[in-house]
Amino acid sequence: MQLPYRSKLGRLAPTVLFTALFSLCPLAPVLADEQAETATAVDARQYTFAWQFRPDSDMAPRGGTTSGSAVDLVTAPGDAWQALQEPGISTKEKDRRAILAMAGPYRASFDFIETAGFTPDYSPPPPYQSWGTERVYVVADETDYISLQHILVMFINMPDGTTSDPIVVKHWRQDWQYEQKRHFAFVGDNRWELRKVPRADVRGSWVQSVYQVDDSPRYAAHGRWQHTENYSSWESAETWRPLPRREFSVRDDYQVLIGSNRHTITPTGWIHVENNNKVVLTADDGQLQPAKVLAVEAGLNRYERIDNHDWSAGDQYWDNTGLFWAEVRKQWDSLLSSSDGTALNMGTGKDALFMKMFALADTFAGEKYNADAAAGEIADTLNAHLIN
């Protein structure tokens, strides 16, 4: 089945956008900055789960009009799904297979809508939709540890009828660790601290740690997988998360998302469901604490397996930069293991941390990689963004 998609690449006109993408960094950090914003599979935009009594124009999803090449959806259950259904395997092995089932080639879609507000004269903002073609690579597959790296590979239909060269963006990463006793936690104001997992919650649980495009921390939480004969799902404990890029570029009235995540495997992919409170923080005895909730937000992210998409540019990028990003991960692990916590100044524009890291990845790509030089440049860059 072939379906077209439409994708918004930032807020720039196509000519300006592509000039920005390839002049600032060949690997399109501007696209990463906008999280490969918004697409639909149809010309007439719609939002079925919405506010029934508000004017249609008020609830038109934020989105764009740039179209992308068609994709072939896989309709038959894949090998990962079949392996997950195999009888007689241990609970832990079933957990591992569920996590590994998230690897592969996907059309990803992201839908968010506020479902309730708690301020006077509350008016819901337009829902948010985004879309992209994304491959999930297995970085590590160990007994108690699995690491999955997401990489976007996009082909854009240009105004003159041609298709763009592939746009490749290293996207987010998710690490899974079995029966971990502690993990980093976002505590507000661009700061992360180590937190203990409650003793009663350690046994049989997995900690999912999520990292941003430059491998800086985003959030982490523990939870257990639940399995039935044909259903596997993991739900997190309550989690604090920084504002996502879809929000902090348009909102400054709250400081943290507090909610839960649920990952569920399907025969042809997986879904990620979010239940978020948008929370204002206040300082109390030197600690940031929730002061009030502005709104509740529901999120649904679908990963639908696709076939016949050319991922070679993403494969090449990961082959060429894998050693560099391994060193980045190593240095972040060292920083995040500090009991004193880690505070960051993410920067903006060309001074943004992710922009600098993408540029360094290109500098040390392939045969240009020098371990000592790369380690030094990475350390200097991270130190420049650390807040004492």
Side-chain angles (χ1 to χ4, degrees), residues 2 93 219:
Q2 281 205 330
E93 179 59 22
Y219 63 86

Side-chain angles (χ1 to χ4, degrees), residues 309-328:
H309 187 79
D310 184 2
W311 301 102
S312 58
D315 296 341
Q316 182 179 10
Y317 173 74
W318 194 236
D319 287 343
N320 286 340
T321 63
L323 291 175
F324 171 83
W325 290 112
E327 177 62 29
V328 174

Side-chain angles (χ1 to χ4, degrees), residues 75-143:
T75 58
D79 292 342
W81 172 261
Q82 302 291 358
L84 188 54
Q85 311 313 312
E86 183 180 331
I89 59 177
S90 68
T91 299
K92 180 182 176 182
E93 179 59 22
K94 206 170 184 71
D95 294 349
R96 284 177 32 79
R97 294 187 186 189
I99 295 167
L100 290 168
M102 289 188 279
Y106 297 104
R107 178 181 68 180
S109 60
F110 309 91
D111 289 84
F112 292 89
I113 185 171
E114 287 190 7
T115 57
F118 307 102
T119 57
D121 300 321
Y122 171 78
S123 179
Y128 175 88
Q129 294 180 332
S130 65
W131 203 102
T133 42
E134 184 160 331
R135 185 160 198 155
V136 183
Y137 295 78
V138 178
V139 178
D141 177 9
E142 302 171 8
T143 302

Side-chain angles (χ1 to χ4, degrees), residues 241-305:
R241 293 182 301 235
L243 269 62
R245 202 164 298 277
R246 61 182 165 81
E247 284 286 271
F248 76 63
S249 59
V250 296
R251 298 283 293 267
D252 60 5
D253 55 340
Y254 74 100
Q255 291 81 48
V256 65
L257 291 174
I258 302 179
S260 62
N261 300 287
R262 187 169 73 248
H263 293 259
T264 304
I265 310 304
T266 71
T268 56
W270 52 287
I271 57 175
H272 173 199
V273 175
E274 300 184 32
N275 183 22
N276 301 320
N277 287 341
K278 297 182 175 181
V279 178
V280 176
L281 298 177
T282 186
D284 183 10
D285 232 3
Q287 296 289 324
L288 291 174
Q289 301 290 342
K292 60 181 179 180
V293 178
L294 296 188
V296 174
E297 176 189 69
L300 173 60
N301 308 323
R302 289 188 179 93
Y303 291 81
E304 300 173 279
R305 195 173 293 270

